[in-house]
Amino acid sequence: METKFKDFYDILIENLESFNGEYASFIDYGPQLFKLLSDLLGYEGLKSQLKLKISAAIAYYVVPMDVIPETLYGAYGYIDDIFITTYVIRLLADVYGYKFLENYWEGEDDLEDVVELCYERSKDVLREKTTDVLNYVGLI
């Protein structure tokens, strides 16, 4: 009997599809941002240091006990994941530009607007924990 495994992107969608809380306006972008980073790993011209940063951000989504664990906080636990993701996407945009990143973006909304919204809102929620989150994955 063949077992079918779900893609982590699909799991993220399932975990967040029914969330209607205070931060839904940006948490809902989590799966699309995760997919953007995953798809960018396929770009052959990606600089190795940026590939490591992307890998760190992707890994942070699946670490069970990160700074704000989903197992304890539910959808709110994705706020730190989204912060890391948008932090890395902003680094990528500095090197490649948003025009290039849009080639990998499957969302309907403008990528730069989404990244800035998610970055600022998640940073505001995390406040003094942003350094803890970035240290946890070795980005600073």
Side-chain angles (χ1 to χ4, degrees):
M1 183 167 137
E2 189 174 319
T3 303
K4 283 200 142 197
F5 289 96
K6 290 184 178 182
D7 186 274
F8 190 73
Y9 170 74
D10 295 326
I11 293 169
L12 284 173
I13 290 172
E14 285 178 15
N15 285 348
L16 296 172
E17 71 185 346
S18 63
F19 180 67
N20 292 316
E22 179 181 356
Y23 306 115
S25 66
F26 73 95
I27 289 177
D28 288 346
Y29 289 112
Q32 293 172 333
L33 295 168
F34 172 85
K35 184 159 183 5
L36 171 66
L37 288 182
S38 298
D39 291 348
L40 278 165
L41 278 177
Y43 171 55
E44 290 183 20
L46 191 62
K47 296 178 181 186
S48 61
Q49 284 298 323
L50 291 174
K51 191 176 281 195
L52 289 172
K53 291 177 188 320
I54 291 172
S55 296
I58 290 170
Y60 194 82
Y61 267 96
V62 299
V63 171
M65 293 306 289
D66 57 24
V67 175
I68 305 175
E70 292 79 33
T71 55
L72 297 177
Y73 297 100
Y76 292 104
Y78 287 104
I79 292 172
D80 54 335
D81 302 61
I82 291 168
F83 173 72
I84 289 285
T85 302
T86 54
Y87 178 88
V88 171
I89 292 170
R90 292 172 94 216
L91 294 175
L92 291 161
D94 287 345
V95 174
Y96 298 107
Y98 278 102
K99 284 278 189 217
F100 171 78
L101 297 178
E102 287 171 1
N103 294 318
Y104 294 88
W105 176 241
E106 294 184 8
E108 294 178 16
D109 297 324
D110 180 73
L111 175 60
E112 186 172 4
D113 291 345
V114 168
V115 169
E116 290 308 309
L117 168 74
C118 293
Y119 180 78
E120 292 301 328
R121 291 293 313 277
S122 62
K123 189 171 84 171
D124 288 345
V125 173
L126 293 172
R127 291 187 193 107
E128 66 278 347
K129 288 188 179 189
T130 56
T131 302
D132 295 341
V133 173
L134 294 172
N135 274 328
Y136 191 90
V137 277
L139 291 172
I140 60 168

